[in-house]
Amino acid sequence: MSDTVRERPDWQTWPNLISLVRLLLIPVFVWLVVVGHPGWALVVLVVIGVSDWADGFVARRFDQGSKLGKAVDPVADRLAIIAIVLSLVLTGLLPLFVVIVVVGVDLVLAVMSSVLFRGNPDLDVTWTGKIRSALLFVGLPVLLFSAVHTVDANAPWVRVVALVFVYLGTAGHVVAGVQYAVAMVRKRRAVGTVAA
């Protein structure tokens, strides 16, 4: 039985299937925001956020960690954050500089990964990265919630709270990006030393 499990392709693990669902829900969320269904968009966003926690929990609880999972999970997180932030900017809920910072950091990391490793550097997710994702996955839904007419009219402070979370998450994104960049350089040097 255990041999059968070991021979199963990486993508057939539950954590990786959860990550795939998260990726598929991203365009659904964007479409709902753009066509003006903030309630349903909020539901989808909550599912995206829960799936981000669930895939890691399932991987640890049932020992289903994989190289594919290590590569897909951060990509799914970044794509979700970029798509959510872009859609909120397009609807006027979020300042453009948040997108510039988030996308800029990810582009730098993508270039470094491509140049130094010609692909995925296979790095563990840092605590800063996890906290960053948590802040953004709380702040962005609350920001979307603040756009609901009754909330906007009766509780404008909700938007302020949401923006605080988003700005902290954006700052965390920069810090996590620096940590990943340093980790990539160190790993590349270590690999070069071993090869020499």
Side-chain angles (χ1 to χ4, degrees):
M1 181 76 110
S2 59
D3 290 340
T4 306
V5 173
R6 278 194 211 101
E7 290 170 6
R8 187 174 52 188
D10 245 4
W11 64 269
Q12 288 185 359
T13 63
W14 282 109
N16 292 338
L17 291 174
I18 292 170
S19 292
L20 176 61
V21 170
R22 184 154 82 255
L23 283 168
L24 293 174
L25 285 176
I26 293 169
V28 175
F29 169 84
V30 173
W31 178 77
L32 288 169
V33 171
V34 170
V35 298
H37 295 292
W40 284 110
L42 188 57
V43 171
V44 172
L45 190 53
V46 169
V47 173
I48 290 172
V50 170
S51 72
D52 182 44
W53 167 83
D55 62 4
F57 172 79
V58 172
R60 289 186 300 272
R61 178 70 178 81
F62 299 100
D63 193 24
Q64 291 191 353
S66 64
K67 285 188 176 181
L68 178 62
K70 278 188 175 182
V72 170
D73 188 54
V75 169
D77 284 350
R78 288 191 180 98
L79 285 176
I81 290 168
I82 289 170
I84 291 164
V85 166
L86 271 174
S87 60
L88 292 178
V89 167
L90 288 173
T91 55
L93 291 172
L94 195 64
L96 180 61
F97 84 87
V98 173
V99 177
I100 294 170
V101 171
V102 170
V103 173
V105 169
D106 286 345
L107 281 175
V108 170
L109 291 176
V111 169
M112 286 184 68
S113 178
S114 177
V115 170
L116 296 176
F117 297 94
R118 297 182 183 178
N120 177 34
D122 192 25
L123 296 172
D124 290 328
V125 178
T126 65
W127 274 106
T128 307
K130 291 177 182 179
I131 292 169
R132 172 270 329 263
S133 294
L135 285 167
L136 290 173
F137 279 130
V138 169
L140 293 171
V142 174
L143 188 60
L144 187 60
F145 178 66
S146 75
V148 176
H149 179 69
T150 52
V151 177
D152 187 34
N154 300 307
W157 56 268
V158 173
R159 178 176 163 82
V160 175
V161 172
L163 285 172
V164 169
F165 272 85
V166 171
Y167 292 157
L168 287 173
T170 304
H173 193 69
V174 174
V175 174
V178 171
Q179 289 177 333
Y180 287 127
V182 170
M184 274 193 265
V185 171
R186 284 179 178 164
K187 184 170 184 175
R188 182 62 192 156
R189 283 180 181 166
V191 169
T193 303
V194 171

